Protein backbone atom coordinates (compact mmCIF):
# COMPACT_ATOMS: atom_id res chain seq x y z
CA UNK A 1 0.00 0.00 0.00
CA UNK A 2 2.06 2.90 -1.34
CA UNK A 3 2.18 6.11 0.62
CA UNK A 4 0.78 8.87 -1.53
CA UNK A 5 2.40 11.85 0.06
CA UNK A 6 5.98 12.72 -0.65
CA UNK A 7 5.47 15.95 -2.54
CA UNK A 8 6.33 19.36 -1.07
CA UNK A 9 2.64 20.26 -1.29
CA UNK A 10 1.73 17.35 0.98
CA UNK A 11 4.46 18.15 3.47
CA UNK A 12 3.28 21.76 3.56
CA UNK A 13 -0.32 20.71 4.00
CA UNK A 14 0.80 18.56 6.91
CA UNK A 15 2.54 21.48 8.60
CA UNK A 16 -0.44 23.76 8.15
CA UNK A 17 -3.10 21.18 8.94
CA UNK A 18 -5.55 22.92 11.30
CA UNK A 19 -4.80 22.05 14.91
CA UNK A 20 -1.67 20.08 14.13
CA UNK A 21 0.87 21.06 16.79
CA UNK A 22 4.03 21.64 14.70
CA UNK A 23 3.95 18.04 13.54
CA UNK A 24 7.04 18.46 11.43
CA UNK A 25 9.23 19.20 14.43
CA UNK A 26 10.23 16.85 17.22
CA UNK A 27 8.38 14.01 18.93
CA UNK A 28 4.64 14.41 18.78
CA UNK A 29 3.09 11.09 19.65
CA UNK A 30 3.79 7.93 21.64
CA UNK A 31 5.43 5.25 19.46
CA UNK A 32 2.76 2.72 20.36
CA UNK A 33 0.06 5.16 19.31
CA UNK A 34 1.99 5.90 16.13
CA UNK A 35 2.10 2.20 15.29
CA UNK A 36 -1.62 1.76 15.81
CA UNK A 37 -2.42 4.86 13.76
CA UNK A 38 -0.16 3.65 10.93
CA UNK A 39 -2.03 0.34 11.02
CA UNK A 40 -5.40 2.07 10.87
CA UNK A 41 -4.38 4.45 8.09
CA UNK A 42 -2.66 1.75 6.02
CA UNK A 43 -5.66 -0.55 6.03
CA UNK A 44 -8.34 2.03 5.28
CA UNK A 45 -6.44 4.46 3.03
CA UNK A 46 -5.15 1.45 1.12
CA UNK A 47 -8.67 1.13 -0.20
CA UNK A 48 -8.12 4.22 -2.31
CA UNK A 49 -5.91 2.06 -4.51
CA UNK A 50 -7.49 -1.31 -3.75
CA UNK A 51 -5.86 -4.54 -2.67
CA UNK A 52 -6.21 -7.65 -4.85
CA UNK A 53 -4.99 -9.91 -2.05
CA UNK A 54 -7.80 -8.82 0.25
CA UNK A 55 -10.29 -8.56 -2.58
CA UNK A 56 -10.81 -4.89 -1.90
CA UNK A 57 -11.72 -2.78 -4.95
CA UNK A 58 -10.06 0.58 -5.55
CA UNK A 59 -12.32 3.51 -4.70
CA UNK A 60 -13.02 5.49 -7.86
CA UNK A 61 -16.11 7.69 -7.63
CA UNK A 62 -16.57 10.68 -5.35
CA UNK A 63 -18.96 8.71 -3.11
CA UNK A 64 -16.60 5.74 -2.90
CA UNK A 65 -13.67 7.96 -1.94
CA UNK A 66 -15.85 9.78 0.58
CA UNK A 67 -16.80 6.42 2.08
CA UNK A 68 -13.10 5.56 2.42
CA UNK A 69 -12.56 8.94 4.08
CA UNK A 70 -15.28 8.28 6.68
CA UNK A 71 -13.94 4.78 7.32
CA UNK A 72 -10.42 6.15 7.73
CA UNK A 73 -11.42 8.73 10.31
CA UNK A 74 -13.33 6.04 12.20
CA UNK A 75 -10.36 3.70 12.15
CA UNK A 76 -8.09 6.47 13.48
CA UNK A 77 -10.45 6.94 16.45
CA UNK A 78 -10.59 3.20 17.07
CA UNK A 79 -6.80 3.02 17.05
CA UNK A 80 -6.66 5.86 19.57
CA UNK A 81 -9.18 4.03 21.78
CA UNK A 82 -7.08 0.85 21.69
CA UNK A 83 -4.00 2.86 22.64
CA UNK A 84 -5.79 4.67 25.46
CA UNK A 85 -7.17 1.50 27.02
CA UNK A 86 -3.76 -0.12 26.75
CA UNK A 87 -2.06 2.81 28.48
CA UNK A 88 -4.75 2.90 31.17
CA UNK A 89 -4.05 -0.78 31.90
CA UNK A 90 -0.31 -0.06 32.06
CA UNK A 91 -0.90 2.85 34.41
CA UNK A 92 -2.85 0.63 36.82
CA UNK A 93 0.34 -1.39 37.29
CA UNK A 94 2.34 1.70 38.24
CA UNK A 95 2.81 1.83 42.00
CA UNK A 96 3.88 5.46 42.23
CA UNK A 97 0.68 7.55 42.19
CA UNK A 98 2.44 10.57 40.69
CA UNK A 99 3.85 8.49 37.82
CA UNK A 100 0.50 6.79 37.35
CA UNK A 101 -1.26 10.13 37.07
CA UNK A 102 1.38 11.42 34.67
CA UNK A 103 0.97 8.33 32.45
CA UNK A 104 -2.80 8.73 32.40
CA UNK A 105 -2.59 12.44 31.68
CA UNK A 106 -0.17 11.94 28.78
CA UNK A 107 -2.26 9.13 27.32
CA UNK A 108 -5.52 11.08 27.57
CA UNK A 109 -3.87 14.19 26.11
CA UNK A 110 -2.51 12.16 23.16
CA UNK A 111 -5.90 10.57 22.59
CA UNK A 112 -7.69 13.93 22.75
CA UNK A 113 -5.21 15.32 20.24
CA UNK A 114 -6.02 12.48 17.85
CA UNK A 115 -9.74 12.97 18.49
CA UNK A 116 -9.45 16.67 17.64
CA UNK A 117 -7.50 15.92 14.44
CA UNK A 118 -10.09 13.31 13.47
CA UNK A 119 -12.85 15.87 14.08
CA UNK A 120 -11.11 18.30 11.70
CA UNK A 121 -10.87 15.64 9.01
CA UNK A 122 -14.48 14.63 9.55
CA UNK A 123 -15.65 18.24 9.22
CA UNK A 124 -13.72 18.55 5.98
CA UNK A 125 -15.33 15.37 4.65
CA UNK A 126 -18.81 16.60 5.60
CA UNK A 127 -18.15 19.94 3.91
CA UNK A 128 -16.98 18.25 0.72
CA UNK A 129 -20.10 16.06 0.80
CA UNK A 130 -22.38 19.09 1.19
CA UNK A 131 -20.56 20.93 -1.61
CA UNK A 132 -21.10 18.12 -4.10
CA UNK A 133 -24.56 19.23 -5.16
CA UNK A 134 -23.50 22.87 -5.37
CA UNK A 135 -19.99 22.85 -6.87
CA UNK A 136 -18.69 19.38 -7.72
CA UNK A 137 -15.22 20.63 -8.65
CA UNK A 138 -14.78 22.32 -5.28
CA UNK A 139 -16.21 19.28 -3.50
CA UNK A 140 -13.86 16.92 -5.30
CA UNK A 141 -10.86 19.14 -4.60
CA UNK A 142 -11.80 19.37 -0.92
CA UNK A 143 -12.17 15.61 -0.68
CA UNK A 144 -8.87 14.97 -2.44
CA UNK A 145 -7.13 17.44 -0.13
CA UNK A 146 -8.55 15.79 2.99
CA UNK A 147 -7.54 12.31 1.86
CA UNK A 148 -4.11 13.64 0.98
CA UNK A 149 -3.68 15.09 4.47
CA UNK A 150 -4.64 11.74 6.01
CA UNK A 151 -2.04 10.07 3.79
CA UNK A 152 0.52 12.66 4.84
CA UNK A 153 -0.26 11.81 8.45
CA UNK A 154 0.53 8.18 7.70
CA UNK A 155 3.86 9.17 6.15
CA UNK A 156 4.68 11.42 9.08
CA UNK A 157 3.95 8.67 11.62
CA UNK A 158 6.06 6.18 9.67
CA UNK A 159 8.94 8.58 10.00
CA UNK A 160 8.41 8.80 13.74
CA UNK A 161 8.64 5.09 14.50
CA UNK B 1 2.11 -1.90 23.50
CA UNK B 2 0.07 -5.01 24.07
CA UNK B 3 0.44 -7.31 21.04
CA UNK B 4 -2.96 -8.89 21.63
CA UNK B 5 -4.64 -5.48 21.51
CA UNK B 6 -2.77 -4.57 18.32
CA UNK B 7 -3.86 -7.83 16.69
CA UNK B 8 -7.46 -7.29 17.81
CA UNK B 9 -7.38 -3.83 16.27
CA UNK B 10 -5.92 -5.19 13.03
CA UNK B 11 -8.70 -7.77 12.81
CA UNK B 12 -11.33 -5.09 13.44
CA UNK B 13 -9.75 -2.88 10.75
CA UNK B 14 -9.65 -5.70 8.23
CA UNK B 15 -13.30 -6.48 8.95
CA UNK B 16 -14.14 -2.84 8.41
CA UNK B 17 -12.20 -2.78 5.13
CA UNK B 18 -13.97 -5.94 4.05
CA UNK B 19 -17.38 -4.44 4.84
CA UNK B 20 -16.51 -1.28 2.94
CA UNK B 21 -15.23 -3.37 0.05
CA UNK B 22 -18.53 -5.26 -0.01
CA UNK B 23 -20.42 -1.96 -0.01
CA UNK B 24 -18.49 -0.78 -3.07
CA UNK B 25 -18.71 -4.15 -4.86
CA UNK B 26 -22.45 -4.46 -4.27
CA UNK B 27 -23.10 -0.94 -5.51
CA UNK B 28 -21.10 -1.59 -8.69
CA UNK B 29 -22.81 -4.94 -9.24
CA UNK B 30 -26.16 -3.15 -9.05
CA UNK B 31 -24.99 -0.50 -11.50
CA UNK B 32 -25.16 2.35 -9.01
CA UNK B 33 -22.96 4.44 -6.78
CA UNK B 34 -22.90 4.37 -2.98
CA UNK B 35 -26.14 5.91 -1.74
CA UNK B 36 -26.69 8.77 0.68
CA UNK B 37 -28.14 6.29 3.16
CA UNK B 38 -25.00 4.17 3.00
CA UNK B 39 -22.83 7.26 3.51
CA UNK B 40 -25.08 8.28 6.42
CA UNK B 41 -24.45 4.84 7.91
CA UNK B 42 -20.70 5.32 7.69
CA UNK B 43 -20.98 8.80 9.21
CA UNK B 44 -23.10 7.37 12.04
CA UNK B 45 -20.42 4.73 12.61
CA UNK B 46 -17.87 7.48 12.97
CA UNK B 47 -20.14 9.36 15.38
CA UNK B 48 -20.34 6.22 17.51
CA UNK B 49 -16.56 5.75 17.43
CA UNK B 50 -16.13 9.38 18.42
CA UNK B 51 -18.48 8.96 21.35
CA UNK B 52 -16.69 5.81 22.56
CA UNK B 53 -13.28 7.48 22.43
CA UNK B 54 -14.50 10.65 24.14
CA UNK B 55 -16.18 8.62 26.88
CA UNK B 56 -12.92 6.79 27.57
CA UNK B 57 -10.92 10.04 27.59
CA UNK B 58 -13.41 11.67 29.95
CA UNK B 59 -13.42 8.61 32.21
CA UNK B 60 -9.63 8.73 32.55
CA UNK B 61 -9.56 12.47 33.10
CA UNK B 62 -12.28 12.20 35.70
CA UNK B 63 -10.54 9.43 37.64
Amino acid sequence: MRSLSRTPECRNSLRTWPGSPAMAQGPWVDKGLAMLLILALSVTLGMLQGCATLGVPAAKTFEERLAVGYATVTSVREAALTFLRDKADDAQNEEDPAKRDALLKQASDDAQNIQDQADEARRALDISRSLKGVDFKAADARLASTLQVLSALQTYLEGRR
Amino acid sequence: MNAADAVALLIALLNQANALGNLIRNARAEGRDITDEELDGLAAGDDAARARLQAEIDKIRGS
Side-chain angles (χ1 to χ4, degrees):
Chain A
M1 296 173 183
R2 179 176 62 88
S3 170
L4 300 174
S5 307
R6 295 198 183 279
T7 64
E9 293 74 24
C10 293
R11 286 196 288 275
N12 285 336
S13 72
L14 177 63
R15 288 197 184 97
T16 57
W17 192 16
S20 66
M23 288 171 66
Q25 304 167 19
W28 170 63
V29 69
D30 180 280
K31 283 186 187 296
L33 177 56
M35 187 194 79
L36 291 176
L37 290 173
I38 289 166
L39 197 59
L41 289 163
S42 298
V43 172
T44 42
L45 284 177
M47 292 196 64
L48 288 174
Q49 292 156 66
C51 178
T53 304
L54 295 177
V56 170
K60 291 179 185 169
T61 67
F62 178 90
E63 282 78 5
E64 288 174 359
R65 287 157 54 227
L66 183 60
V68 169
Y70 281 139
T72 300
V73 175
T74 302
S75 67
V76 163
R77 298 193 209 268
E78 286 169 352
L81 181 59
T82 298
F83 160 79
L84 189 57
R85 285 176 172 164
D86 202 66
K87 285 294 178 183
D89 287 344
D90 286 348
Q92 294 313 315
N93 295 327
E94 175 56 59
E95 290 177 356
D96 183 337
K99 284 184 183 171
R100 185 172 59 242
D101 289 347
L103 276 173
L104 288 173
K105 182 180 185 318
Q106 184 63 60
S108 64
D109 286 350
D110 282 347
Q112 187 67 62
N113 193 6
I114 297 300
Q115 177 86 306
D116 294 344
Q117 307 289 355
D119 286 346
E120 288 288 338
R122 170 66 190 273
R123 265 193 287 277
L125 292 172
D126 288 342
I127 287 170
S128 63
R129 186 181 177 188
S130 67
L131 273 176
K132 190 199 166 207
V134 175
D135 182 345
F136 180 76
K137 211 170 166 183
D140 198 51
R142 186 74 183 238
L143 176 60
S145 166
T146 304
L147 292 173
Q148 200 169 43
V149 170
L150 288 169
S151 290
L153 173 61
Q154 178 187 344
T155 303
Y156 171 82
L157 290 168
E158 284 169 354
R160 285 271 174 258
R161 282 190 302 165
Chain B
M1 173 53 55
N2 184 316
D5 289 342
V7 168
L9 176 65
L10 177 59
I11 290 170
L13 292 171
L14 289 172
N15 283 337
Q16 185 182 67
N18 189 45
L20 186 51
N22 285 338
L23 199 69
I24 293 174
R25 264 194 300 277
N26 290 343
R28 290 180 184 176
E30 292 169 14
R32 61 171 176 83
D33 209 335
I34 292 179
T35 64
D36 280 340
E37 288 73 26
E38 287 167 334
L39 287 173
D40 288 342
L42 290 170
D46 185 54
D47 291 339
R50 187 192 192 285
R52 282 193 298 272
L53 177 57
Q54 197 60 52
E56 193 71 21
I57 290 169
D58 293 344
K59 185 175 99 177
I60 286 171
R61 285 180 168 175
S63 61

